[in-house]
């Protein structure tokens, strides 16, 4: 019985160290852990609607993310609405739960860095219409609407405006845009035809990825943002490579003499001012 309790206690401590904020590590907060095994503190909820966007599931409680992700979604959707006015709003799918952790239907989306974006669509004739939901697009840019004879077309023009706004947002660094090869090809061809800067097109090609171990993402694009340097030191980790154009992780600063002095004065056992350590402290190696 006693050994079982010890094992459980150790397991709790170990998991606490790696994936959850804990009083034992007060510096761990924000987006903590990796996207498919993490949690979230200090989250912000995406409003039900805003300039150029609506929530796909207005009543869902899974619309929380890092505040900078929420701000980037709002500003990117607003920029599409300003650059191509009169179109249907972007429908935004799940972000994360308020405190992160597992939510139904997703392996990731656990640390406030992931969001599903339904595609912007038009009628086959080119009139912007609201998204009919998660419909599957083919390489010709068309998707059949289930239980109907209707088709919708990928709104390549506005979809590219959206992805470009996200890629160039000062709030976030895009780690991945999970999307199928066919949609990536349509968007990249469109960007090249527009004469977009090589750097933006190259970054878009780099972050767009059809996952090999999950859904193809032919019915939505899944945005994941990279850890910011200050988030990385507070527990954010993983989720993909650190692309060379993203800000580098904050370098670890070597301790200065005054830091060692402060550490020497810091006495967690309440012996401040005592001239020497007691036997138990010596045994612990302080
Ligand atoms: Zn997703």
């Amino acid at each position: 019985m006693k050994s079982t309790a010890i094992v459980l206690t150790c397991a709790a401590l170990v998991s606490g160290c790696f994936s959850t904020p804990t009083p034992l590590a007060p510096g761990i907060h924000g987006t903590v852990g990796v996207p498919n095994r993490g949690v979230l503190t200090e989250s912000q909820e995406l409003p039900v609607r805003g300039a150029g966007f609506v929530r796909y599931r207005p009543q869902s409680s899974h619309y929380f993310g890092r505040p900078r992700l929420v701000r980037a979604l709002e500003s990117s959707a607003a920029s599409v609405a300003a650059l191509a006015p009169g179109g249907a709003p972007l429908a935004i799918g799940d972000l994360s739960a308020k405190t992160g952790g597992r939510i139904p239907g997703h392996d990731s989306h656990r640390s406030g860095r992931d969001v599903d974006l339904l595609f912007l669509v038009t009628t086959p004739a080119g009139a912007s219409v609201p998204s009919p939901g998660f419909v599957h697009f083919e390489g010709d840019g068309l998707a059949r609407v289930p239980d109907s004879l209707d088709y919708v077309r990928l709104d390549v023009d506005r979809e590219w405006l959206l992805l470009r706004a996200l890629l160039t947002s000062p709030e976030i660094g895009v780690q991945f845009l999970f999307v199928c090869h066919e949609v990536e090809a349509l968007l990249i061809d469109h960007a090249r035809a527009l004469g977009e800067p090589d750097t933006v097109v190259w970054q878009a090609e780099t972050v767009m990825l059809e996952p090999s171990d999950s859904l193809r993402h032919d019915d939505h694009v899944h945005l994941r943002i990279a850890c910011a340097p200050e988030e990385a030191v507070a527990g954010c980790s993983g989720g993909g490579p650190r692309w060379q154009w993203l800000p580098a992780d904050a370098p670890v600063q070597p301790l200065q003499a005054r830091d060692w002095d402060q550490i020497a004065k810091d006495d967690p056992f309440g012996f401040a001012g005592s001239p020497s350590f007691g036997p138990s402290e010596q045994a612990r190696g302080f």
Side-chain angles (χ1 to χ4, degrees):
M1 185 64 190
K2 188 176 176 184
S3 63
T4 305
I6 290 171
V7 167
L8 288 174
T9 303
C10 292
L13 283 173
V14 167
S15 67
C17 289
F18 286 100
S19 62
T20 59
T22 162
L24 298 176
I28 301 297
H29 64 96
T31 170
V32 178
V34 295
N36 62 354
R37 190 178 164 79
V39 294
L40 178 63
T41 71
E42 302 145 31
S43 57
Q44 184 174 323
E45 187 175 22
L46 182 78
V48 171
R49 64 177 56 82
F53 76 89
V54 292
R55 290 190 349 192
Y56 180 62
R57 300 182 179 93
Q59 307 305 321
S60 167
S61 59
H62 300 153
Y63 276 92
F64 291 87
R66 288 296 289 152
R68 65 195 184 91
L69 172 58
V70 171
R71 288 195 298 268
L73 291 172
E74 291 175 316
S75 64
S76 297
S79 124
V80 175
L83 292 170
L90 166 69
I92 299 181
D94 287 341
L95 280 84
S96 299
K98 185 173 185 179
T99 56
R102 186 176 183 85
I103 59 174
H106 303 281
D107 282 331
S108 60
H109 289 253
R110 299 192 191 189
S111 60
R113 294 164 52 198
D114 296 277
V115 55
D116 291 336
L117 306 171
L118 282 82
F119 289 126
L120 293 158
V121 302
T122 68
T123 63
S128 179
V129 288
S131 167
F134 289 87
V135 292
H136 299 275
F137 283 87
E138 309 275 347
D140 59 4
L142 292 169
R144 174 97 179 261
V145 180
D147 304 321
S148 82
L149 298 176
D150 295 338
Y151 282 80
V152 287
R153 185 184 295 281
L154 182 69
D155 190 342
V156 180
D157 195 21
R158 298 174 75 237
E159 188 72 29
W160 170 251
L161 290 177
L162 173 67
L163 300 192
R164 190 184 67 178
L166 292 167
L167 278 165
T168 56
S169 165
E171 296 269 13
I172 55 167
V174 174
Q175 183 141 62
F176 280 122
L177 291 166
F178 294 115
V179 70
C180 68
H181 297 310
E182 291 86 348
V183 171
E184 174 183 344
L186 290 168
L187 291 165
I188 295 297
D189 281 354
H190 178 73
R192 289 219 179 93
L194 288 177
E196 293 283 15
D198 288 344
T199 305
V200 178
V201 178
W202 168 67
Q203 289 180 3
E205 284 183 296
T206 305
V207 301
M208 282 198 232
L209 182 76
E210 179 176 306
S212 57
D213 59 348
S214 67
L215 299 172
R216 293 188 62 236
H217 289 71
D218 58 0
D219 57 354
H220 72 286
V221 56
H222 173 142
L223 163 67
R224 173 173 300 158
I225 63 170
C227 300
E230 64 275 16
E231 289 172 341
V233 296
C236 184
S237 68
R242 177 150 288 278
W243 307 117
Q244 64 195 81
W245 63 84
L246 297 177
D249 284 342
V252 177
Q253 299 291 337
L255 292 175
Q256 307 293 317
R258 65 175 181 279
D259 300 320
W260 288 110
D261 195 41
Q262 190 62 42
I263 290 168
K265 289 177 185 161
D266 189 13
D267 182 359
F269 298 101
F271 289 97
S274 70
S276 63
F277 291 123
S280 62
E281 280 69 46
Q282 285 174 0
R284 289 191 177 98
F286 285 93

